Coordinates of all heavy atoms in Angstrom, one line a residue:
M1 N 79.2 -41.4 1.1 CA 78.3 -42.5 1.3 C 77.1 -42.1 2.2 O 76.0 -42.5 1.8 CB 79.0 -43.7 2.0 CG 78.2 -45.0 1.9 SD 78.0 -45.5 0.2 CE 77.4 -47.1 0.6
P2 N 77.2 -41.3 3.3 CA 76.1 -40.9 4.0 C 75.1 -40.0 3.2 O 73.9 -40.1 3.4 CB 76.7 -40.0 5.2 CG 78.1 -40.5 5.3 CD 78.5 -40.9 3.9
G3 N 75.6 -39.2 2.3 CA 74.7 -38.4 1.4 C 73.9 -39.3 0.5 O 72.7 -39.1 0.3
L4 N 74.5 -40.4 0.0 CA 73.8 -41.4 -0.8 C 72.7 -42.1 0.0 O 71.5 -42.2 -0.5 CB 74.7 -42.4 -1.4 CG 74.1 -43.5 -2.2 CD1 73.5 -42.9 -3.5 CD2 75.2 -44.5 -2.6
L5 N 73.0 -42.5 1.2 CA 72.0 -43.1 2.1 C 70.9 -42.2 2.4 O 69.7 -42.6 2.4 CB 72.6 -43.6 3.4 CG 73.5 -44.8 3.2 CD1 74.2 -45.1 4.6 CD2 72.7 -46.0 2.8
R6 N 71.2 -40.9 2.7 CA 70.2 -39.9 3.0 C 69.3 -39.8 1.7 O 68.0 -39.7 1.9 CB 70.8 -38.6 3.4 CG 69.7 -37.6 3.7 CD 70.3 -36.3 4.3 NE 70.6 -36.7 5.7 CZ 71.7 -36.3 6.4 NH1 72.6 -35.5 5.8 NH2 71.9 -36.6 7.6
G7 N 69.8 -39.7 0.6 CA 69.0 -39.6 -0.7 C 68.1 -40.8 -0.9 O 67.0 -40.6 -1.3
V8 N 68.7 -42.0 -0.7 CA 67.9 -43.2 -0.8 C 66.8 -43.2 0.2 O 65.6 -43.5 -0.1 CB 68.8 -44.4 -0.7 CG1 68.0 -45.7 -0.6 CG2 69.7 -44.5 -1.9
A9 N 67.1 -42.8 1.4 CA 66.1 -42.8 2.5 C 65.0 -41.8 2.2 O 63.8 -42.1 2.3 CB 66.7 -42.5 3.8
R10 N 65.4 -40.6 1.7 CA 64.4 -39.6 1.4 C 63.5 -40.1 0.3 O 62.3 -39.9 0.3 CB 65.1 -38.3 1.0 CG 64.2 -37.2 0.8 CD 64.9 -35.9 0.5 NE 65.7 -35.5 1.6 CZ 66.9 -35.0 1.6 NH1 67.5 -34.9 0.4 NH2 67.6 -34.7 2.7
T11 N 64.1 -40.7 -0.7 CA 63.3 -41.3 -1.8 C 62.3 -42.3 -1.4 O 61.1 -42.3 -1.8 CB 64.2 -41.8 -2.9 OG1 65.1 -40.8 -3.4 CG2 63.4 -42.4 -4.1
A12 N 62.8 -43.2 -0.5 CA 61.9 -44.2 0.1 C 60.7 -43.6 0.9 O 59.6 -44.0 0.7 CB 62.7 -45.2 1.0
V13 N 61.0 -42.6 1.6 CA 59.9 -41.9 2.4 C 58.9 -41.2 1.5 O 57.7 -41.4 1.6 CB 60.5 -40.9 3.4 CG1 59.5 -40.1 4.0 CG2 61.3 -41.7 4.5
I14 N 59.5 -40.5 0.5 CA 58.6 -39.8 -0.5 C 57.7 -40.8 -1.3 O 56.6 -40.7 -1.5 CB 59.4 -38.9 -1.4 CG1 60.0 -37.8 -0.6 CG2 58.6 -38.4 -2.6 CD1 61.0 -36.9 -1.3
S15 N 58.4 -41.9 -1.7 CA 57.7 -43.0 -2.4 C 56.5 -43.6 -1.5 O 55.4 -43.8 -2.0 CB 58.6 -44.1 -2.8 OG 57.9 -45.1 -3.4
G16 N 56.9 -43.9 -0.3 CA 55.8 -44.4 0.6 C 54.7 -43.4 0.8 O 53.5 -43.8 0.9
T17 N 55.0 -42.2 1.0 CA 54.0 -41.1 1.1 C 53.1 -41.1 -0.1 O 51.9 -41.0 0.0 CB 54.6 -39.8 1.4 OG1 55.4 -39.9 2.6 CG2 53.6 -38.7 1.6
A18 N 53.8 -41.1 -1.3 CA 53.0 -41.0 -2.6 C 52.1 -42.2 -2.7 O 50.9 -42.1 -3.1 CB 54.0 -40.9 -3.7
T19 N 52.6 -43.4 -2.3 CA 51.7 -44.6 -2.4 C 50.5 -44.5 -1.5 O 49.4 -44.8 -1.8 CB 52.6 -45.8 -2.0 OG1 53.7 -45.9 -2.9 CG2 51.8 -47.1 -2.1
A20 N 50.8 -44.0 -0.2 CA 49.7 -43.8 0.7 C 48.6 -42.9 0.2 O 47.4 -43.1 0.3 CB 50.2 -43.4 2.1
V21 N 49.1 -41.8 -0.4 CA 48.2 -40.8 -1.0 C 47.4 -41.4 -2.1 O 46.2 -41.2 -2.2 CB 48.9 -39.5 -1.4 CG1 48.0 -38.5 -2.2 CG2 49.5 -38.8 -0.2
S22 N 48.1 -42.1 -3.0 CA 47.4 -42.7 -4.1 C 46.4 -43.7 -3.7 O 45.2 -43.7 -4.2 CB 48.5 -43.4 -5.0 OG 47.8 -44.1 -6.0
N23 N 46.7 -44.5 -2.7 CA 45.7 -45.4 -2.2 C 44.5 -44.7 -1.6 O 43.4 -45.2 -1.8 CB 46.4 -46.4 -1.1 CG 47.4 -47.3 -1.7 OD1 47.3 -47.6 -2.9 ND2 48.2 -47.8 -0.9
R24 N 44.7 -43.7 -0.9 CA 43.6 -42.9 -0.2 C 42.7 -42.3 -1.3 O 41.5 -42.4 -1.2 CB 44.2 -41.8 0.6 CG 43.1 -41.1 1.4 CD 43.7 -40.1 2.4 NE 42.6 -39.5 3.1 CZ 42.6 -38.2 3.3 NH1 43.6 -37.4 3.0 NH2 41.5 -37.6 3.9
V25 N 43.3 -41.8 -2.3 CA 42.5 -41.2 -3.4 C 41.7 -42.3 -4.1 O 40.5 -42.1 -4.4 CB 43.4 -40.5 -4.5 CG1 42.7 -40.1 -5.7 CG2 44.0 -39.2 -3.8
S26 N 42.3 -43.4 -4.3 CA 41.6 -44.5 -5.0 C 40.4 -45.0 -4.1 O 39.3 -45.2 -4.6 CB 42.5 -45.7 -5.2 OG 43.5 -45.4 -6.1
R27 N 40.6 -45.1 -2.8 CA 39.5 -45.5 -1.9 C 38.4 -44.5 -1.9 O 37.2 -44.8 -1.9 CB 40.1 -45.8 -0.5 CG 40.8 -47.1 -0.3 CD 41.0 -47.4 1.1 NE 41.8 -46.3 1.8 CZ 43.1 -46.2 1.8 NH1 43.9 -47.1 1.1 NH2 43.7 -45.2 2.4
R28 N 38.8 -43.2 -1.8 CA 37.8 -42.1 -1.8 C 37.0 -42.1 -3.1 O 35.8 -42.0 -3.1 CB 38.5 -40.8 -1.6 CG 37.5 -39.7 -1.4 CD 38.1 -38.3 -1.4 NE 39.1 -38.3 -0.3 CZ 40.1 -37.4 -0.4 NH1 40.2 -36.5 -1.4 NH2 41.0 -37.4 0.6
Q29 N 37.7 -42.3 -4.2 CA 37.0 -42.3 -5.5 C 36.0 -43.5 -5.6 O 34.9 -43.4 -6.0 CB 38.0 -42.4 -6.6 CG 37.5 -42.0 -8.0 CD 38.6 -41.9 -9.0 OE1 39.6 -42.7 -8.9 NE2 38.4 -41.0 -9.9
A30 N 36.5 -44.7 -5.1 CA 35.6 -45.9 -5.2 C 34.4 -45.7 -4.3 O 33.3 -46.1 -4.6 CB 36.4 -47.1 -4.7
G31 N 34.6 -45.0 -3.1 CA 33.5 -44.7 -2.2 C 32.5 -43.8 -2.9 O 31.3 -44.0 -2.7
R32 N 33.0 -42.8 -3.6 CA 32.1 -41.9 -4.3 C 31.3 -42.6 -5.3 O 30.1 -42.4 -5.5 CB 32.8 -40.7 -4.8 CG 33.3 -39.7 -3.8 CD 34.0 -38.6 -4.4 NE 34.5 -37.7 -3.4 CZ 35.4 -36.8 -3.6 NH1 36.0 -36.6 -4.8 NH2 35.8 -36.0 -2.6
W33 N 31.9 -43.5 -6.1 CA 31.2 -44.2 -7.1 C 30.2 -45.1 -6.5 O 29.1 -45.3 -7.1 CB 32.2 -45.0 -8.0 CG 33.1 -44.2 -8.9 CD1 32.9 -42.9 -9.3 CD2 34.3 -44.6 -9.5 NE1 33.9 -42.5 -10.1 CE2 34.8 -43.5 -10.2 CE3 35.1 -45.7 -9.4 CZ2 36.0 -43.5 -11.0 CZ3 36.3 -45.8 -10.1 CH2 36.7 -44.7 -10.9
A34 N 30.5 -45.8 -5.4 CA 29.6 -46.7 -4.8 C 28.4 -45.9 -4.3 O 27.2 -46.3 -4.4 CB 30.3 -47.4 -3.6
Q35 N 28.7 -44.7 -3.7 CA 27.6 -43.8 -3.2 C 26.7 -43.4 -4.3 O 25.5 -43.4 -4.2 CB 28.1 -42.7 -2.5 CG 27.1 -41.8 -1.7 CD 27.7 -40.7 -1.0 OE1 28.9 -40.3 -1.2 NE2 27.0 -40.1 -0.1
Q36 N 27.3 -43.0 -5.5 CA 26.5 -42.6 -6.6 C 25.6 -43.7 -7.1 O 24.5 -43.5 -7.5 CB 27.4 -42.1 -7.7 CG 28.0 -40.7 -7.4 CD 28.9 -40.2 -8.5 OE1 29.3 -41.0 -9.4 NE2 29.4 -39.0 -8.4
G37 N 26.2 -44.9 -7.1 CA 25.4 -46.1 -7.6 C 24.3 -46.4 -6.6 O 23.2 -46.7 -7.1
E38 N 24.5 -46.2 -5.3 CA 23.4 -46.4 -4.3 C 22.3 -45.3 -4.6 O 21.1 -45.7 -4.5 CB 23.9 -46.3 -2.9 CG 24.8 -47.5 -2.5 CD 25.4 -47.2 -1.1 OE1 25.1 -46.2 -0.5 OE2 26.2 -48.1 -0.7
E39 N 22.7 -44.1 -4.8 CA 21.7 -43.0 -5.0 C 20.9 -43.3 -6.3 O 19.7 -43.1 -6.3 CB 22.4 -41.7 -5.1 CG 23.0 -41.2 -3.8 CD 23.9 -40.0 -3.9 OE1 24.1 -39.5 -5.0 OE2 24.4 -39.5 -2.9
H40 N 21.6 -43.8 -7.3 CA 20.9 -44.0 -8.5 C 19.9 -45.2 -8.4 O 18.8 -45.0 -8.8 CB 21.9 -44.4 -9.6 CG 21.3 -44.7 -11.0 ND1 20.7 -43.8 -11.7 CD2 21.2 -45.9 -11.6 CE1 20.2 -44.3 -12.8 NE2 20.5 -45.6 -12.8
S41 N 20.3 -46.2 -7.7 CA 19.4 -47.4 -7.5 C 18.3 -47.0 -6.5 O 17.2 -47.4 -6.7 CB 20.1 -48.6 -7.0 OG 20.7 -48.4 -5.8
A42 N 18.6 -46.1 -5.6 CA 17.6 -45.6 -4.6 C 16.5 -44.8 -5.3 O 15.3 -44.9 -5.0 CB 18.2 -44.8 -3.5
R43 N 17.0 -44.0 -6.3 CA 16.0 -43.2 -7.1 C 15.1 -44.1 -7.9 O 13.9 -43.8 -8.0 CB 16.7 -42.2 -8.0 CG 17.1 -40.9 -7.3 CD 17.7 -39.9 -8.2 NE 19.1 -39.8 -7.9 CZ 20.1 -39.9 -8.8 NH1 19.8 -40.1 -10.1 NH2 21.3 -39.9 -8.5
Q44 N 15.6 -45.1 -8.4 CA 14.8 -46.0 -9.2 C 13.8 -46.8 -8.4 O 12.7 -46.9 -8.8 CB 15.7 -47.1 -10.0 CG 16.5 -46.5 -11.1 CD 17.4 -47.5 -11.8 OE1 17.7 -48.6 -11.2 NE2 17.8 -47.2 -13.0
T45 N 14.2 -47.3 -7.2 CA 13.3 -48.0 -6.4 C 12.3 -47.1 -5.6 O 11.3 -47.5 -5.3 CB 14.1 -48.9 -5.4 OG1 14.9 -48.0 -4.6 CG2 14.9 -49.9 -6.1
S46 N 12.7 -45.8 -5.4 CA 11.8 -44.9 -4.6 C 10.6 -44.6 -5.4 O 9.5 -44.3 -4.8 CB 12.6 -43.7 -4.2 OG 12.9 -42.9 -5.4
A47 N 10.7 -44.6 -6.7 CA 9.5 -44.4 -7.5 C 8.5 -45.5 -7.4 O 7.3 -45.3 -7.6 CB 9.9 -44.2 -9.0
E48 N 9.0 -46.7 -7.1 CA 8.2 -47.9 -6.9 C 7.6 -48.1 -5.5 O 6.7 -48.8 -5.3 CB 8.9 -49.1 -7.3 CG 9.5 -49.1 -8.7 CD 10.5 -50.2 -9.0 OE1 10.8 -50.9 -8.1 OE2 11.0 -50.2 -10.1
Q49 N 8.2 -47.4 -4.5 CA 7.8 -47.5 -3.1 C 6.8 -46.4 -2.7 O 6.8 -45.4 -3.2 CB 9.0 -47.4 -2.2 CG 10.0 -48.6 -2.4 CD 11.3 -48.4 -1.6 OE1 11.5 -47.3 -1.0 NE2 12.1 -49.4 -1.5
T50 N 6.1 -46.7 -1.6 CA 5.2 -45.7 -1.0 C 6.1 -44.9 -0.1 O 7.2 -45.3 0.3 CB 4.1 -46.4 -0.2 OG1 4.7 -47.1 0.9 CG2 3.3 -47.3 -1.0
P51 N 5.6 -43.7 0.3 CA 6.5 -42.8 1.2 C 6.8 -43.5 2.5 O 7.9 -43.2 3.0 CB 5.6 -41.6 1.4 CG 4.7 -41.6 0.2 CD 4.5 -43.0 -0.2
A52 N 6.0 -44.3 3.0 CA 6.3 -45.0 4.3 C 7.4 -46.0 4.1 O 8.2 -46.3 5.0 CB 5.0 -45.7 4.8
Q53 N 7.6 -46.5 2.9 CA 8.6 -47.5 2.6 C 10.0 -46.9 2.4 O 11.0 -47.5 2.4 CB 8.3 -48.4 1.5 CG 7.1 -49.3 1.7 CD 6.7 -50.1 0.5 OE1 6.8 -49.5 -0.6 NE2 6.1 -51.3 0.6
Q54 N 10.0 -45.6 2.0 CA 11.2 -44.9 1.6 C 12.0 -44.6 2.9 O 11.6 -43.8 3.7 CB 10.9 -43.6 0.8 CG 10.2 -43.9 -0.5 CD 9.9 -42.6 -1.2 OE1 10.2 -41.5 -0.7 NE2 9.3 -42.7 -2.4
T55 N 13.2 -45.2 3.0 CA 14.1 -44.8 4.1 C 15.4 -44.7 3.4 O 15.8 -45.4 2.5 CB 14.2 -46.0 5.1 OG1 14.5 -47.2 4.5 CG2 12.8 -46.1 5.8
S56 N 16.1 -43.7 4.0 CA 17.5 -43.4 3.4 C 18.5 -44.0 4.4 O 18.6 -43.6 5.6 CB 17.7 -41.9 3.3 OG 19.0 -41.6 2.9
S57 N 19.3 -44.9 3.9 CA 20.4 -45.4 4.7 C 21.7 -45.4 3.9 O 21.9 -46.3 3.1 CB 20.1 -46.9 5.1 OG 20.0 -47.7 4.0
T58 N 22.4 -44.3 4.1 CA 23.7 -44.2 3.4 C 24.8 -44.5 4.4 O 24.8 -44.0 5.5 CB 23.9 -42.8 2.8 OG1 23.8 -41.9 3.8 CG2 22.8 -42.6 1.7
A59 N 25.8 -45.3 4.0 CA 26.9 -45.6 4.9 C 27.9 -44.4 4.9 O 28.1 -43.8 3.9 CB 27.6 -46.8 4.3
P60 N 28.4 -44.1 6.1 CA 29.4 -43.1 6.2 C 30.7 -43.5 5.4 O 31.0 -44.7 5.3 CB 29.7 -43.0 7.7 CG 29.3 -44.3 8.2 CD 28.2 -44.8 7.4
P61 N 31.4 -42.5 4.9 CA 32.6 -42.8 4.1 C 33.7 -43.5 5.0 O 33.8 -43.2 6.2 CB 33.1 -41.5 3.6 CG 32.5 -40.5 4.4 CD 31.2 -41.1 4.9
A62 N 34.4 -44.4 4.4 CA 35.5 -45.2 5.2 C 36.6 -44.2 5.6 O 37.0 -43.3 4.8 CB 36.0 -46.3 4.3
A63 N 37.0 -44.4 6.8 CA 38.1 -43.5 7.3 C 39.5 -44.0 6.7 O 39.6 -45.2 6.4 CB 38.2 -43.6 8.8
A64 N 40.4 -43.1 6.6 CA 41.7 -43.5 6.1 C 42.4 -44.4 7.1 O 42.3 -44.1 8.3 CB 42.6 -42.3 5.9
P65 N 43.0 -45.5 6.7 CA 43.6 -46.4 7.7 C 44.8 -45.8 8.4 O 45.7 -45.3 7.7 CB 44.0 -47.6 6.8 CG 44.2 -47.1 5.4 CD 43.2 -45.9 5.3
M66 N 44.8 -45.8 9.7 CA 45.9 -45.3 10.4 C 47.1 -46.2 10.4 O 48.2 -45.8 10.7 CB 45.4 -45.0 11.9 CG 44.5 -43.8 12.0 SD 45.3 -42.3 11.5 CE 46.5 -42.1 12.7
D67 N 46.9 -47.5 10.1 CA 48.0 -48.4 10.1 C 49.1 -48.0 9.1 O 50.3 -48.1 9.4 CB 47.5 -49.8 9.7 CG 46.6 -50.4 10.7 OD1 46.6 -50.0 11.9 OD2 45.9 -51.4 10.4
T68 N 48.7 -47.5 8.0 CA 49.7 -47.0 7.0 C 50.5 -45.8 7.5 O 51.7 -45.8 7.4 CB 48.9 -46.6 5.7 OG1 48.2 -47.7 5.2 CG2 49.9 -46.2 4.6
K69 N 49.8 -44.9 8.1 CA 50.5 -43.7 8.7 C 51.4 -44.1 9.8 O 52.5 -43.6 9.9 CB 49.5 -42.7 9.2 CG 48.7 -42.0 8.1 CD 47.7 -41.0 8.7 CE 46.9 -40.4 7.5 NZ 46.1 -39.3 8.0
I70 N 50.9 -45.0 10.7 CA 51.8 -45.5 11.8 C 53.0 -46.2 11.3 O 54.1 -45.9 11.8 CB 51.0 -46.4 12.7 CG1 49.9 -45.5 13.4 CG2 51.9 -47.1 13.7 CD1 48.9 -46.3 14.2
S71 N 52.8 -47.0 10.3 CA 54.0 -47.7 9.7 C 55.0 -46.7 9.1 O 56.2 -46.9 9.3 CB 53.5 -48.7 8.6 OG 54.6 -49.3 7.9
Q72 N 54.5 -45.7 8.4 CA 55.4 -44.7 7.8 C 56.1 -43.9 8.9 O 57.3 -43.6 8.7 CB 54.6 -43.8 6.9 CG 54.1 -44.5 5.6 CD 53.3 -43.6 4.7 OE1 52.8 -42.6 5.2 NE2 53.1 -43.9 3.5
L73 N 55.4 -43.6 9.9 CA 56.0 -42.8 11.0 C 57.1 -43.7 11.7 O 58.1 -43.2 12.1 CB 55.0 -42.3 12.0 CG 54.0 -41.2 11.5 CD1 52.9 -41.0 12.5 CD2 54.8 -40.0 11.2
H74 N 56.8 -44.9 11.8 CA 57.8 -45.9 12.5 C 59.0 -45.9 11.6 O 60.2 -45.9 12.1 CB 57.2 -47.2 12.6 CG 58.0 -48.2 13.3 ND1 58.4 -48.1 14.6 CD2 58.7 -49.3 12.8 CE1 59.2 -49.1 14.9 NE2 59.4 -49.9 13.8
Q75 N 58.9 -46.0 10.3 CA 60.0 -46.1 9.4 C 60.8 -44.8 9.5 O 62.1 -44.8 9.5 CB 59.6 -46.4 8.0 CG 59.1 -47.8 7.7 CD 58.5 -47.9 6.3 OE1 58.3 -47.0 5.6 NE2 58.3 -49.2 6.0
L76 N 60.1 -43.7 9.5 CA 60.8 -42.4 9.6 C 61.6 -42.3 10.9 O 62.7 -41.8 10.9 CB 59.8 -41.2 9.7 CG 59.3 -40.7 8.3 CD1 58.2 -39.6 8.6 CD2 60.4 -40.1 7.5
G77 N 61.0 -42.8 12.0 CA 61.7 -42.8 13.3 C 63.0 -43.6 13.2 O 64.0 -43.2 13.8
Q78 N 62.9 -44.8 12.6 CA 64.1 -45.6 12.4 C 65.2 -44.9 11.6 O 66.4 -45.0 12.0 CB 63.7 -46.9 11.8 CG 62.9 -47.9 12.7 CD 62.5 -49.1 12.0 OE1 62.5 -49.2 10.7 NE2 62.2 -50.2 12.7
L79 N 64.8 -44.3 10.5 CA 65.8 -43.6 9.7 C 66.4 -42.4 10.5 O 67.6 -42.2 10.4 CB 65.1 -43.0 8.4 CG 64.7 -44.1 7.4 CD1 63.8 -43.5 6.3 CD2 65.9 -44.8 6.9
R80 N 65.6 -41.7 11.3 CA 66.2 -40.6 12.1 C 67.1 -41.2 13.2 O 68.2 -40.7 13.4 CB 65.0 -39.9 12.8 CG 65.5 -38.7 13.7 CD 64.5 -38.3 14.7 NE 64.1 -39.4 15.5 CZ 62.9 -39.4 16.2 NH1 62.1 -38.4 16.1 NH2 62.6 -40.4 16.9
D81 N 66.7 -42.3 13.8 CA 67.6 -42.9 14.8 C 68.9 -43.5 14.3 O 69.9 -43.5 14.9 CB 66.8 -44.1 15.5 CG 65.6 -43.6 16.3 OD1 65.6 -42.4 16.6 OD2 64.8 -44.4 16.7
Q82 N 68.9 -43.9 13.0 CA 70.1 -44.4 12.4 C 71.0 -43.2 11.9 O 72.1 -43.5 11.4 CB 69.7 -45.3 11.2 CG 69.0 -46.6 11.6 CD 68.5 -47.3 10.3 OE1 68.6 -46.9 9.2 NE2 67.9 -48.5 10.6
G83 N 70.4 -42.0 11.9 CA 71.2 -40.9 11.5 C 71.1 -40.6 10.0 O 71.8 -39.7 9.5
V84 N 70.2 -41.3 9.3 CA 70.0 -41.0 7.9 C 69.2 -39.7 7.7 O 69.5 -39.0 6.7 CB 69.2 -42.2 7.3 CG1 68.9 -42.0 5.8 CG2 70.0 -43.5 7.4
L85 N 68.3 -39.4 8.5 CA 67.5 -38.2 8.4 C 67.9 -37.3 9.6 O 68.1 -37.7 10.7 CB 66.0 -38.5 8.5 CG 65.4 -39.3 7.4 CD1 63.9 -39.5 7.6 CD2 65.5 -38.5 6.0
T86 N 67.9 -36.0 9.3 CA 68.1 -35.0 10.3 C 66.8 -34.8 11.0 O 65.7 -35.2 10.5 CB 68.6 -33.7 9.8 OG1 67.6 -33.1 9.0 CG2 69.9 -33.8 9.0
E87 N 66.8 -34.1 12.2 CA 65.6 -33.9 12.9 C 64.6 -33.0 12.1 O 63.4 -33.2 12.1 CB 65.9 -33.2 14.3 CG 64.7 -33.1 15.2 CD 64.2 -34.4 15.7 OE1 65.0 -35.4 15.8 OE2 63.0 -34.6 15.9
E88 N 65.2 -32.1 11.4 CA 64.3 -31.2 10.5 C 63.7 -32.0 9.4 O 62.5 -31.8 9.1 CB 65.2 -30.0 9.9 CG 65.7 -29.0 10.9 CD 66.9 -29.5 11.7 OE1 67.7 -30.4 11.1 OE2 67.2 -29.1 12.8
E89 N 64.4 -32.9 8.8 CA 63.9 -33.7 7.7 C 62.8 -34.6 8.3 O 61.7 -34.8 7.6 CB 65.0 -34.5 7.0 CG 65.9 -33.7 6.2 CD 67.1 -34.5 5.8 OE1 67.6 -35.4 6.5 OE2 67.7 -34.2 4.7
F90 N 63.0 -35.2 9.4 CA 62.1 -36.0 10.1 C 60.8 -35.3 10.4 O 59.7 -35.8 10.0 CB 62.7 -36.6 11.4 CG 61.7 -37.3 12.2 CD1 61.3 -38.6 11.9 CD2 61.1 -36.7 13.3 CE1 60.4 -39.3 12.7 CE2 60.1 -37.4 14.1 CZ 59.8 -38.7 13.8
E91 N 60.9 -34.1 10.9 CA 59.7 -33.3 11.2 C 58.9 -32.9 10.0 O 57.7 -33.0 10.0 CB 60.0 -32.1 12.0 CG 60.5 -32.3 13.4 CD 59.5 -33.0 14.3 OE1 58.3 -32.7 14.2 OE2 59.8 -33.9 15.1
A92 N 59.6 -32.6 8.9 CA 58.9 -32.2 7.7 C 58.2 -33.4 7.1 O 57.0 -33.3 6.7 CB 60.0 -31.7 6.7
Q93 N 58.8 -34.6 7.1 CA 58.2 -35.7 6.5 C 57.0 -36.2 7.4 O 56.0 -36.6 6.9 CB 59.2 -36.9 6.4 CG 60.2 -36.7 5.3 CD 59.6 -36.5 3.9 OE1 58.6 -37.1 3.6 NE2 60.3 -35.7 3.1
K94 N 57.2 -36.0 8.7 CA 56.1 -36.4 9.6 C 54.9 -35.5 9.4 O 53.7 -36.0 9.3 CB 56.6 -36.2 11.1 CG 55.5 -36.7 12.1 CD 56.1 -36.6 13.5 CE 56.1 -35.3 14.0 NZ 56.4 -35.2 15.5
R95 N 55.1 -34.2 9.2 CA 54.0 -33.3 8.9 C 53.2 -33.7 7.6 O 52.0 -33.7 7.6 CB 54.4 -31.9 8.8 CG 54.4 -31.2 10.1 CD 54.8 -29.7 10.0 NE 56.1 -29.5 10.5 CZ 57.2 -29.2 9.8 NH1 57.1 -29.0 8.5 NH2 58.4 -29.1 10.3
R96 N 54.0 -34.1 6.6 CA 53.4 -34.5 5.3 C 52.5 -35.7 5.5 O 51.4 -35.8 4.9 CB 54.5 -34.8 4.3 CG 55.1 -33.5 3.8 CD 56.1 -33.9 2.7 NE 56.9 -32.7 2.3 CZ 58.0 -32.8 1.7 NH1 58.6 -33.9 1.4 NH2 58.6 -31.6 1.4
I97 N 53.0 -36.7 6.2 CA 52.2 -37.9 6.5 C 51.0 -37.6 7.2 O 49.9 -38.1 6.9 CB 53.1 -39.0 7.2 CG1 54.2 -39.5 6.3 CG2 52.2 -40.1 7.7 CD1 55.3 -40.3 7.0
L98 N 51.1 -36.8 8.3 CA 49.9 -36.6 9.1 C 48.9 -35.6 8.5 O 47.7 -35.6 8.9 CB 50.4 -36.0 10.5 CG 51.2 -37.0 11.3 CD1 51.7 -36.3 12.6 CD2 50.4 -38.2 11.7
E99 N 49.3 -34.9 7.5 CA 48.3 -34.0 6.8 C 47.3 -34.8 6.0 O 46.1 -34.3 5.9 CB 49.1 -33.1 5.8 CG 49.8 -31.9 6.5 CD 50.6 -31.1 5.5 OE1 50.6 -31.4 4.3 OE2 51.2 -30.1 6.0
F100 N 47.6 -35.9 5.5 CA 46.7 -36.7 4.7 C 45.8 -37.6 5.5 O 45.9 -38.2 6.4 CB 47.4 -37.5 3.7 CG 48.1 -36.7 2.7 CD1 49.5 -36.5 2.7 CD2 47.5 -36.0 1.7 CE1 50.2 -35.7 1.8 CE2 48.1 -35.2 0.8 CZ 49.5 -35.1 0.9

């Protein structure tokens, strides 16, 4: 039974990590599309403006939300405290979460 719980816990952690990565990729891609759209519209309007009117104001890309990472780390800590994950598994998963 402990092996089954460990497998389920590992799957849950990996699934959560995959979801976080997928969400981050989606946000980054949406940000790039928005930036390309701004650049395109800026090129169109810059032809109509005088040089004094031309100002570039691009928004910095959105930072990855730390709430997701903190939540995942909290869940990992709980699984480790319950004995579902070993210390080595905990550290490996923690590194994966913090890399993104």
Side-chain angles (χ1 to χ4, degrees):
M1 193 67 168
L4 178 63
L5 286 175
R6 182 170 282 141
V8 169
R10 186 177 295 135
T11 301
V13 169
I14 292 170
S15 174
T17 303
T19 300
V21 170
S22 174
N23 289 342
R24 182 170 182 226
V25 169
S26 295
R27 281 190 304 275
R28 186 184 308 155
Q29 194 173 37
R32 286 182 182 163
W33 288 341
Q35 187 178 15
Q36 286 176 352
E38 289 173 7
E39 290 172 359
H40 179 69
S41 64
R43 276 188 252 127
Q44 287 179 341
T45 58
S46 67
E48 300 167 0
Q49 295 177 347
T50 64
Q53 293 174 328
Q54 294 177 1
T55 58
S56 175
S57 61
T58 57
M66 286 301 293
D67 293 341
T68 303
K69 290 181 181 184
I70 292 170
S71 173
Q72 289 176 341
L73 290 172
H74 182 69
Q75 289 174 347
L76 274 178
Q78 288 177 338
L79 291 171
R80 180 195 58 199
D81 294 343
Q82 293 171 357
V84 176
L85 294 176
T86 65
E87 190 64 33
E88 293 80 23
E89 292 170 328
F90 171 78
E91 290 298 325
Q93 292 298 329
K94 183 174 81 170
R95 269 186 255 112
R96 287 184 188 158
I97 292 171
L98 294 176
E99 284 176 0
F100 295 105

